[in-house]
PDB file of all heavy atoms in Angstrom:
ATOM      1  N   ASN A   1     -51.334  77.075 -25.366  1.00 97.00           N
ATOM      2  CA  ASN A   1     -50.066  76.479 -25.689  1.00 97.00           C
ATOM      3  C   ASN A   1     -50.361  75.046 -26.247  1.00 97.00           C
ATOM      4  O   ASN A   1     -51.401  74.481 -25.976  1.00 97.00           O
ATOM      5  CB  ASN A   1     -49.181  76.448 -24.516  1.00 97.00           C
ATOM      6  CG  ASN A   1     -48.956  77.733 -23.884  1.00 97.00           C
ATOM      7  OD1 ASN A   1     -48.338  78.630 -24.433  1.00 97.00           O
ATOM      8  ND2 ASN A   1     -49.429  77.985 -22.669  1.00 97.00           N
ATOM      9  N   PHE A   2     -49.373  74.559 -27.002  1.00 97.00           N
ATOM     10  CA  PHE A   2     -49.542  73.233 -27.552  1.00 97.00           C
ATOM     11  C   PHE A   2     -48.308  72.428 -27.218  1.00 97.00           C
ATOM     12  O   PHE A   2     -47.220  72.952 -27.129  1.00 97.00           O
ATOM     13  CB  PHE A   2     -49.708  73.259 -29.098  1.00 97.00           C
ATOM     14  CG  PHE A   2     -50.909  73.986 -29.549  1.00 97.00           C
ATOM     15  CD1 PHE A   2     -50.916  75.294 -29.844  1.00 97.00           C
ATOM     16  CD2 PHE A   2     -52.111  73.265 -29.656  1.00 97.00           C
ATOM     17  CE1 PHE A   2     -52.079  76.009 -30.205  1.00 97.00           C
ATOM     18  CE2 PHE A   2     -53.298  73.921 -30.033  1.00 97.00           C
ATOM     19  CZ  PHE A   2     -53.262  75.288 -30.292  1.00 97.00           C
ATOM     20  N   GLY A   3     -48.526  71.152 -26.996  1.00 94.00           N
ATOM     21  CA  GLY A   3     -47.375  70.232 -26.719  1.00 94.00           C
ATOM     22  C   GLY A   3     -47.729  68.803 -26.978  1.00 94.00           C
ATOM     23  O   GLY A   3     -48.827  68.429 -27.202  1.00 94.00           O
ATOM     24  N   TRP A   4     -46.609  68.004 -26.917  1.00 94.00           N
ATOM     25  CA  TRP A   4     -46.728  66.597 -27.003  1.00 94.00           C
ATOM     26  C   TRP A   4     -47.004  66.005 -25.660  1.00 94.00           C
ATOM     27  O   TRP A   4     -46.410  66.436 -24.699  1.00 94.00           O
ATOM     28  CB  TRP A   4     -45.437  65.996 -27.568  1.00 94.00           C
ATOM     29  CG  TRP A   4     -45.149  66.165 -29.037  1.00 94.00           C
ATOM     30  CD1 TRP A   4     -44.186  66.928 -29.533  1.00 94.00           C
ATOM     31  CD2 TRP A   4     -45.813  65.530 -30.074  1.00 94.00           C
ATOM     32  NE1 TRP A   4     -44.220  66.822 -30.867  1.00 94.00           N
ATOM     33  CE2 TRP A   4     -45.198  65.916 -31.307  1.00 94.00           C
ATOM     34  CE3 TRP A   4     -46.838  64.621 -30.241  1.00 94.00           C
ATOM     35  CZ2 TRP A   4     -45.539  65.532 -32.539  1.00 94.00           C
ATOM     36  CZ3 TRP A   4     -47.283  64.219 -31.483  1.00 94.00           C
ATOM     37  CH2 TRP A   4     -46.586  64.631 -32.610  1.00 94.00           C
ATOM     38  N   ASP A   5     -47.810  64.999 -25.570  1.00 87.00           N
ATOM     39  CA  ASP A   5     -47.960  64.205 -24.402  1.00 87.00           C
ATOM     40  C   ASP A   5     -47.160  62.929 -24.626  1.00 87.00           C
ATOM     41  O   ASP A   5     -47.528  62.054 -25.394  1.00 87.00           O
ATOM     42  CB  ASP A   5     -49.422  63.849 -24.091  1.00 87.00           C
ATOM     43  CG  ASP A   5     -49.615  63.314 -22.658  1.00 87.00           C
ATOM     44  OD1 ASP A   5     -48.565  62.851 -22.083  1.00 87.00           O
ATOM     45  OD2 ASP A   5     -50.706  63.346 -22.192  1.00 87.00           O
ATOM     46  N   GLU A   6     -45.990  62.826 -23.990  1.00 78.00           N
ATOM     47  CA  GLU A   6     -45.044  61.778 -24.285  1.00 78.00           C
ATOM     48  C   GLU A   6     -45.290  60.557 -23.475  1.00 78.00           C
ATOM     49  O   GLU A   6     -44.872  59.466 -23.822  1.00 78.00           O
ATOM     50  CB  GLU A   6     -43.607  62.250 -23.994  1.00 78.00           C
ATOM     51  CG  GLU A   6     -43.203  63.464 -24.730  1.00 78.00           C
ATOM     52  CD  GLU A   6     -42.770  63.207 -26.209  1.00 78.00           C
ATOM     53  OE1 GLU A   6     -42.737  62.026 -26.625  1.00 78.00           O
ATOM     54  OE2 GLU A   6     -42.570  64.214 -26.923  1.00 78.00           O
ATOM     55  N   ASP A   7     -46.013  60.691 -22.330  1.00 69.00           N
ATOM     56  CA  ASP A   7     -46.056  59.611 -21.337  1.00 69.00           C
ATOM     57  C   ASP A   7     -47.375  58.909 -21.184  1.00 69.00           C
ATOM     58  O   ASP A   7     -47.552  58.027 -20.415  1.00 69.00           O
ATOM     59  CB  ASP A   7     -45.665  60.131 -19.969  1.00 69.00           C
ATOM     60  CG  ASP A   7     -44.255  60.701 -19.967  1.00 69.00           C
ATOM     61  OD1 ASP A   7     -43.387  60.096 -20.623  1.00 69.00           O
ATOM     62  OD2 ASP A   7     -43.992  61.733 -19.318  1.00 69.00           O
ATOM     63  N   LYS A   8     -48.361  59.267 -22.042  1.00 63.00           N
ATOM     64  CA  LYS A   8     -49.659  58.625 -21.951  1.00 63.00           C
ATOM     65  C   LYS A   8     -49.599  57.165 -22.392  1.00 63.00           C
ATOM     66  O   LYS A   8     -49.055  56.897 -23.400  1.00 63.00           O
ATOM     67  CB  LYS A   8     -50.702  59.391 -22.821  1.00 63.00           C
ATOM     68  CG  LYS A   8     -51.273  60.600 -22.171  1.00 63.00           C
ATOM     69  CD  LYS A   8     -52.442  60.253 -21.360  1.00 63.00           C
ATOM     70  CE  LYS A   8     -52.896  61.491 -20.580  1.00 63.00           C
ATOM     71  NZ  LYS A   8     -54.157  61.902 -20.785  1.00 63.00           N
ATOM     72  N   ASN A   9     -50.073  56.303 -21.532  1.00 62.00           N
ATOM     73  CA  ASN A   9     -50.135  54.930 -21.855  1.00 62.00           C
ATOM     74  C   ASN A   9     -51.583  54.385 -21.969  1.00 62.00           C
ATOM     75  O   ASN A   9     -51.771  53.173 -21.982  1.00 62.00           O
ATOM     76  CB  ASN A   9     -49.384  54.070 -20.803  1.00 62.00           C
ATOM     77  CG  ASN A   9     -47.901  54.356 -20.839  1.00 62.00           C
ATOM     78  OD1 ASN A   9     -47.315  54.561 -21.895  1.00 62.00           O
ATOM     79  ND2 ASN A   9     -47.266  54.376 -19.649  1.00 62.00           N
ATOM     80  N   ASP A  10     -52.466  55.305 -22.147  1.00 65.00           N
ATOM     81  CA  ASP A  10     -53.861  54.851 -22.252  1.00 65.00           C
ATOM     82  C   ASP A  10     -54.319  55.114 -23.707  1.00 65.00           C
ATOM     83  O   ASP A  10     -53.449  55.334 -24.577  1.00 65.00           O
ATOM     84  CB  ASP A  10     -54.807  55.620 -21.301  1.00 65.00           C
ATOM     85  CG  ASP A  10     -54.763  57.143 -21.507  1.00 65.00           C
ATOM     86  OD1 ASP A  10     -54.286  57.613 -22.513  1.00 65.00           O
ATOM     87  OD2 ASP A  10     -55.210  57.843 -20.586  1.00 65.00           O
ATOM     88  N   ASN A  11     -55.551  55.036 -23.984  1.00 73.00           N
ATOM     89  CA  ASN A  11     -56.031  55.176 -25.416  1.00 73.00           C
ATOM     90  C   ASN A  11     -56.417  56.616 -25.741  1.00 73.00           C
ATOM     91  O   ASN A  11     -56.911  56.853 -26.830  1.00 73.00           O
ATOM     92  CB  ASN A  11     -57.244  54.222 -25.611  1.00 73.00           C
ATOM     93  CG  ASN A  11     -56.830  52.766 -25.632  1.00 73.00           C
ATOM     94  OD1 ASN A  11     -55.727  52.476 -26.069  1.00 73.00           O
ATOM     95  ND2 ASN A  11     -57.677  51.905 -25.147  1.00 73.00           N
ATOM     96  N   SER A  12     -56.136  57.569 -24.904  1.00 83.00           N
ATOM     97  CA  SER A  12     -56.550  58.951 -25.237  1.00 83.00           C
ATOM     98  C   SER A  12     -55.560  59.421 -26.356  1.00 83.00           C
ATOM     99  O   SER A  12     -54.401  59.081 -26.419  1.00 83.00           O
ATOM    100  CB  SER A  12     -56.387  59.834 -24.008  1.00 83.00           C
ATOM    101  OG  SER A  12     -55.059  59.944 -23.612  1.00 83.00           O
ATOM    102  N   ARG A  13     -56.159  60.239 -27.207  1.00 90.00           N
ATOM    103  CA  ARG A  13     -55.314  60.699 -28.321  1.00 90.00           C
ATOM    104  C   ARG A  13     -54.889  62.114 -28.113  1.00 90.00           C
ATOM    105  O   ARG A  13     -53.910  62.558 -28.705  1.00 90.00           O
ATOM    106  CB  ARG A  13     -56.214  60.616 -29.574  1.00 90.00           C
ATOM    107  CG  ARG A  13     -56.540  59.150 -29.923  1.00 90.00           C
ATOM    108  CD  ARG A  13     -57.592  59.024 -30.932  1.00 90.00           C
ATOM    109  NE  ARG A  13     -58.830  59.406 -30.402  1.00 90.00           N
ATOM    110  CZ  ARG A  13     -59.964  59.462 -31.071  1.00 90.00           C
ATOM    111  NH1 ARG A  13     -60.025  59.183 -32.293  1.00 90.00           N
ATOM    112  NH2 ARG A  13     -61.098  59.850 -30.436  1.00 90.00           N
ATOM    113  N   ALA A  14     -55.519  62.840 -27.229  1.00 93.00           N
ATOM    114  CA  ALA A  14     -55.169  64.253 -26.942  1.00 93.00           C
ATOM    115  C   ALA A  14     -55.826  64.603 -25.589  1.00 93.00           C
ATOM    116  O   ALA A  14     -56.648  63.922 -25.087  1.00 93.00           O
ATOM    117  CB  ALA A  14     -55.632  65.157 -28.045  1.00 93.00           C
ATOM    118  N   SER A  15     -55.399  65.737 -25.029  1.00 91.00           N
ATOM    119  CA  SER A  15     -55.939  66.251 -23.801  1.00 91.00           C
ATOM    120  C   SER A  15     -55.828  67.761 -23.744  1.00 91.00           C
ATOM    121  O   SER A  15     -55.012  68.353 -24.524  1.00 91.00           O
ATOM    122  CB  SER A  15     -55.333  65.567 -22.586  1.00 91.00           C
ATOM    123  OG  SER A  15     -53.929  65.913 -22.550  1.00 91.00           O
ATOM    124  N   CYS A  16     -56.542  68.358 -22.807  1.00 91.00           N
ATOM    125  CA  CYS A  16     -56.550  69.795 -22.648  1.00 91.00           C
ATOM    126  C   CYS A  16     -56.453  70.027 -21.114  1.00 91.00           C
ATOM    127  O   CYS A  16     -57.321  69.541 -20.367  1.00 91.00           O
ATOM    128  CB  CYS A  16     -57.871  70.387 -23.152  1.00 91.00           C
ATOM    129  SG  CYS A  16     -58.003  72.120 -23.109  1.00 91.00           S
ATOM    130  N   SER A  17     -55.425  70.768 -20.716  1.00 92.00           N
ATOM    131  CA  SER A  17     -55.203  71.106 -19.334  1.00 92.00           C
ATOM    132  C   SER A  17     -55.264  72.578 -19.156  1.00 92.00           C
ATOM    133  O   SER A  17     -54.472  73.302 -19.735  1.00 92.00           O
ATOM    134  CB  SER A  17     -53.847  70.516 -18.864  1.00 92.00           C
ATOM    135  OG  SER A  17     -53.554  70.854 -17.548  1.00 92.00           O
ATOM    136  N   SER A  18     -56.206  73.052 -18.300  1.00 92.00           N
ATOM    137  CA  SER A  18     -56.460  74.480 -18.214  1.00 92.00           C
ATOM    138  C   SER A  18     -56.306  75.018 -16.829  1.00 92.00           C
ATOM    139  O   SER A  18     -56.698  74.338 -15.844  1.00 92.00           O
ATOM    140  CB  SER A  18     -57.876  74.837 -18.728  1.00 92.00           C
ATOM    141  OG  SER A  18     -58.044  74.351 -20.004  1.00 92.00           O
ATOM    142  N   GLU A  19     -55.745  76.226 -16.747  1.00 91.00           N
ATOM    143  CA  GLU A  19     -55.735  76.971 -15.480  1.00 91.00           C
ATOM    144  C   GLU A  19     -56.889  78.031 -15.629  1.00 91.00           C
ATOM    145  O   GLU A  19     -56.732  79.065 -16.274  1.00 91.00           O
ATOM    146  CB  GLU A  19     -54.387  77.730 -15.286  1.00 91.00           C
ATOM    147  CG  GLU A  19     -53.201  76.804 -15.118  1.00 91.00           C
ATOM    148  CD  GLU A  19     -51.921  77.522 -15.020  1.00 91.00           C
ATOM    149  OE1 GLU A  19     -51.873  78.678 -14.529  1.00 91.00           O
ATOM    150  OE2 GLU A  19     -50.953  76.979 -15.426  1.00 91.00           O
ATOM    151  N   LEU A  20     -57.961  77.711 -14.913  1.00 88.00           N
ATOM    152  CA  LEU A  20     -59.157  78.574 -15.078  1.00 88.00           C
ATOM    153  C   LEU A  20     -58.995  79.994 -14.601  1.00 88.00           C
ATOM    154  O   LEU A  20     -59.517  80.909 -15.225  1.00 88.00           O
ATOM    155  CB  LEU A  20     -60.335  77.873 -14.371  1.00 88.00           C
ATOM    156  CG  LEU A  20     -60.704  76.462 -14.865  1.00 88.00           C
ATOM    157  CD1 LEU A  20     -61.872  75.926 -14.019  1.00 88.00           C
ATOM    158  CD2 LEU A  20     -60.999  76.461 -16.302  1.00 88.00           C
ATOM    159  N   SER A  21     -58.258  80.150 -13.530  1.00 87.00           N
ATOM    160  CA  SER A  21     -58.164  81.566 -12.998  1.00 87.00           C
ATOM    161  C   SER A  21     -57.290  82.447 -13.879  1.00 87.00           C
ATOM    162  O   SER A  21     -57.446  83.666 -13.856  1.00 87.00           O
ATOM    163  CB  SER A  21     -57.532  81.429 -11.597  1.00 87.00           C
ATOM    164  OG  SER A  21     -56.233  80.854 -11.619  1.00 87.00           O
ATOM    165  N   ASN A  22     -56.372  81.868 -14.664  1.00 92.00           N
ATOM    166  CA  ASN A  22     -55.487  82.648 -15.500  1.00 92.00           C
ATOM    167  C   ASN A  22     -55.877  82.601 -16.991  1.00 92.00           C
ATOM    168  O   ASN A  22     -55.251  83.256 -17.771  1.00 92.00           O
ATOM    169  CB  ASN A  22     -54.065  82.111 -15.375  1.00 92.00           C
ATOM    170  CG  ASN A  22     -53.501  82.117 -13.996  1.00 92.00           C
ATOM    171  OD1 ASN A  22     -54.151  82.548 -13.055  1.00 92.00           O
ATOM    172  ND2 ASN A  22     -52.270  81.697 -13.858  1.00 92.00           N
ATOM    173  N   TYR A  23     -56.815  81.794 -17.357  1.00 94.00           N
ATOM    174  CA  TYR A  23     -57.183  81.583 -18.736  1.00 94.00           C
ATOM    175  C   TYR A  23     -55.976  81.137 -19.559  1.00 94.00           C
ATOM    176  O   TYR A  23     -55.723  81.693 -20.639  1.00 94.00           O
ATOM    177  CB  TYR A  23     -57.823  82.847 -19.315  1.00 94.00           C
ATOM    178  CG  TYR A  23     -59.253  83.053 -18.887  1.00 94.00           C
ATOM    179  CD1 TYR A  23     -59.537  83.761 -17.753  1.00 94.00           C
ATOM    180  CD2 TYR A  23     -60.323  82.498 -19.546  1.00 94.00           C
ATOM    181  CE1 TYR A  23     -60.811  84.004 -17.291  1.00 94.00           C
ATOM    182  CE2 TYR A  23     -61.593  82.686 -19.148  1.00 94.00           C
ATOM    183  CZ  TYR A  23     -61.870  83.438 -17.983  1.00 94.00           C
ATOM    184  OH  TYR A  23     -63.137  83.652 -17.605  1.00 94.00           O
ATOM    185  N   ILE A  24     -55.278  80.152 -19.031  1.00 95.00           N
ATOM    186  CA  ILE A  24     -54.068  79.608 -19.703  1.00 95.00           C
ATOM    187  C   ILE A  24     -54.382  78.106 -19.909  1.00 95.00           C
ATOM    188  O   ILE A  24     -54.839  77.442 -18.940  1.00 95.00           O
ATOM    189  CB  ILE A  24     -52.771  79.798 -18.910  1.00 95.00           C
ATOM    190  CG1 ILE A  24     -52.503  81.264 -18.723  1.00 95.00           C
ATOM    191  CG2 ILE A  24     -51.653  79.052 -19.599  1.00 95.00           C
ATOM    192  CD1 ILE A  24     -51.286  81.556 -17.805  1.00 95.00           C
ATOM    193  N   THR A  25     -54.148  77.573 -21.056  1.00 96.00           N
ATOM    194  CA  THR A  25     -54.382  76.185 -21.332  1.00 96.00           C
ATOM    195  C   THR A  25     -53.252  75.600 -22.205  1.00 96.00           C
ATOM    196  O   THR A  25     -52.642  76.338 -22.894  1.00 96.00           O
ATOM    197  CB  THR A  25     -55.758  75.968 -21.967  1.00 96.00           C
ATOM    198  OG1 THR A  25     -56.106  74.579 -21.916  1.00 96.00           O
ATOM    199  CG2 THR A  25     -55.780  76.414 -23.453  1.00 96.00           C
ATOM    200  N   THR A  26     -53.079  74.318 -22.000  1.00 96.00           N
ATOM    201  CA  THR A  26     -52.186  73.599 -22.944  1.00 96.00           C
ATOM    202  C   THR A  26     -52.992  72.432 -23.489  1.00 96.00           C
ATOM    203  O   THR A  26     -53.600  71.645 -22.815  1.00 96.00           O
ATOM    204  CB  THR A  26     -50.921  73.019 -22.225  1.00 96.00           C
ATOM    205  OG1 THR A  26     -50.255  74.135 -21.649  1.00 96.00           O
ATOM    206  CG2 THR A  26     -50.009  72.353 -23.233  1.00 96.00           C
ATOM    207  N   ILE A  27     -52.961  72.355 -24.868  1.00 97.00           N
ATOM    208  CA  ILE A  27     -53.619  71.221 -25.581  1.00 97.00           C
ATOM    209  C   ILE A  27     -52.499  70.337 -26.010  1.00 97.00           C
ATOM    210  O   ILE A  27     -51.560  70.711 -26.728  1.00 97.00           O
ATOM    211  CB  ILE A  27     -54.431  71.820 -26.740  1.00 97.00           C
ATOM    212  CG1 ILE A  27     -55.515  72.754 -26.265  1.00 97.00           C
ATOM    213  CG2 ILE A  27     -54.991  70.594 -27.512  1.00 97.00           C
ATOM    214  CD1 ILE A  27     -56.311  73.404 -27.391  1.00 97.00           C
ATOM    215  N   PHE A  28     -52.605  69.107 -25.501  1.00 96.00           N
ATOM    216  CA  PHE A  28     -51.579  68.076 -25.803  1.00 96.00           C
ATOM    217  C   PHE A  28     -52.097  67.101 -26.837  1.00 96.00           C
ATOM    218  O   PHE A  28     -53.249  66.670 -26.785  1.00 96.00           O
ATOM    219  CB  PHE A  28     -51.293  67.276 -24.526  1.00 96.00           C
ATOM    220  CG  PHE A  28     -50.626  68.103 -23.411  1.00 96.00           C
ATOM    221  CD1 PHE A  28     -51.388  68.584 -22.394  1.00 96.00           C
ATOM    222  CD2 PHE A  28     -49.267  68.374 -23.441  1.00 96.00           C
ATOM    223  CE1 PHE A  28     -50.822  69.365 -21.373  1.00 96.00           C
ATOM    224  CE2 PHE A  28     -48.646  69.120 -22.405  1.00 96.00           C
ATOM    225  CZ  PHE A  28     -49.430  69.614 -21.396  1.00 96.00           C
ATOM    226  N   LEU A  29     -51.135  66.758 -27.695  1.00 95.00           N
ATOM    227  CA  LEU A  29     -51.410  65.599 -28.615  1.00 95.00           C
ATOM    228  C   LEU A  29     -50.534  64.361 -28.124  1.00 95.00           C
ATOM    229  O   LEU A  29     -49.361  64.553 -27.884  1.00 95.00           O
ATOM    230  CB  LEU A  29     -50.979  66.024 -30.039  1.00 95.00           C
ATOM    231  CG  LEU A  29     -51.173  64.929 -31.139  1.00 95.00           C
ATOM    232  CD1 LEU A  29     -52.706  64.553 -31.254  1.00 95.00           C
ATOM    233  CD2 LEU A  29     -50.670  65.414 -32.479  1.00 95.00           C
ATOM    234  N   ASN A  30     -51.204  63.234 -27.972  1.00 94.00           N
ATOM    235  CA  ASN A  30     -50.505  62.096 -27.505  1.00 94.00           C
ATOM    236  C   ASN A  30     -49.530  61.674 -28.587  1.00 94.00           C
ATOM    237  O   ASN A  30     -49.878  61.570 -29.779  1.00 94.00           O
ATOM    238  CB  ASN A  30     -51.496  60.981 -27.231  1.00 94.00           C
ATOM    239  CG  ASN A  30     -50.881  59.837 -26.479  1.00 94.00           C
ATOM    240  OD1 ASN A  30     -49.675  59.729 -26.368  1.00 94.00           O
ATOM    241  ND2 ASN A  30     -51.700  58.993 -25.885  1.00 94.00           N
ATOM    242  N   ARG A  31     -48.317  61.490 -28.263  1.00 92.00           N
ATOM    243  CA  ARG A  31     -47.227  61.135 -29.214  1.00 92.00           C
ATOM    244  C   ARG A  31     -47.381  59.736 -29.819  1.00 92.00           C
ATOM    245  O   ARG A  31     -47.076  59.533 -30.967  1.00 92.00           O
ATOM    246  CB  ARG A  31     -45.868  61.253 -28.521  1.00 92.00           C
ATOM    247  CG  ARG A  31     -44.668  60.774 -29.324  1.00 92.00           C
ATOM    248  CD  ARG A  31     -44.189  61.705 -30.356  1.00 92.00           C
ATOM    249  NE  ARG A  31     -43.405  62.730 -29.817  1.00 92.00           N
ATOM    250  CZ  ARG A  31     -42.761  63.607 -30.488  1.00 92.00           C
ATOM    251  NH1 ARG A  31     -42.813  63.579 -31.805  1.00 92.00           N
ATOM    252  NH2 ARG A  31     -42.081  64.584 -29.896  1.00 92.00           N
ATOM    253  N   VAL A  32     -47.947  58.827 -29.078  1.00 90.00           N
ATOM    254  CA  VAL A  32     -48.081  57.457 -29.540  1.00 90.00           C
ATOM    255  C   VAL A  32     -49.489  57.032 -29.594  1.00 90.00           C
ATOM    256  O   VAL A  32     -50.247  57.166 -28.630  1.00 90.00           O
ATOM    257  CB  VAL A  32     -47.296  56.482 -28.584  1.00 90.00           C
ATOM    258  CG1 VAL A  32     -47.404  55.021 -29.025  1.00 90.00           C
ATOM    259  CG2 VAL A  32     -45.794  56.894 -28.519  1.00 90.00           C
TER     260      VAL A  32
END
């Protein structure tokens, strides 16, 4: 899945959050 990361206040530009047991992940792009 893909989504915006609306609340990041650090210098990261994107992130990947994965549920290893289900093989489900969301890749986020930092909005700002």
Side-chain angles (χ1 to χ4, degrees):
N1 303 295
F2 295 93
W4 285 111
D5 192 341
E6 304 281 355
D7 299 322
K8 279 273 172 119
N9 291 324
D10 59 15
N11 289 328
S12 68
R13 296 168 289 176
S15 61
C16 182
S17 176
S18 302
E19 295 177 30
L20 301 178
S21 60
N22 301 0
Y23 286 90
I24 298 171
T25 193
T26 302
I27 299 175
F28 294 98
L29 181 61
N30 195 345
R31 172 77 79 174
V32 179

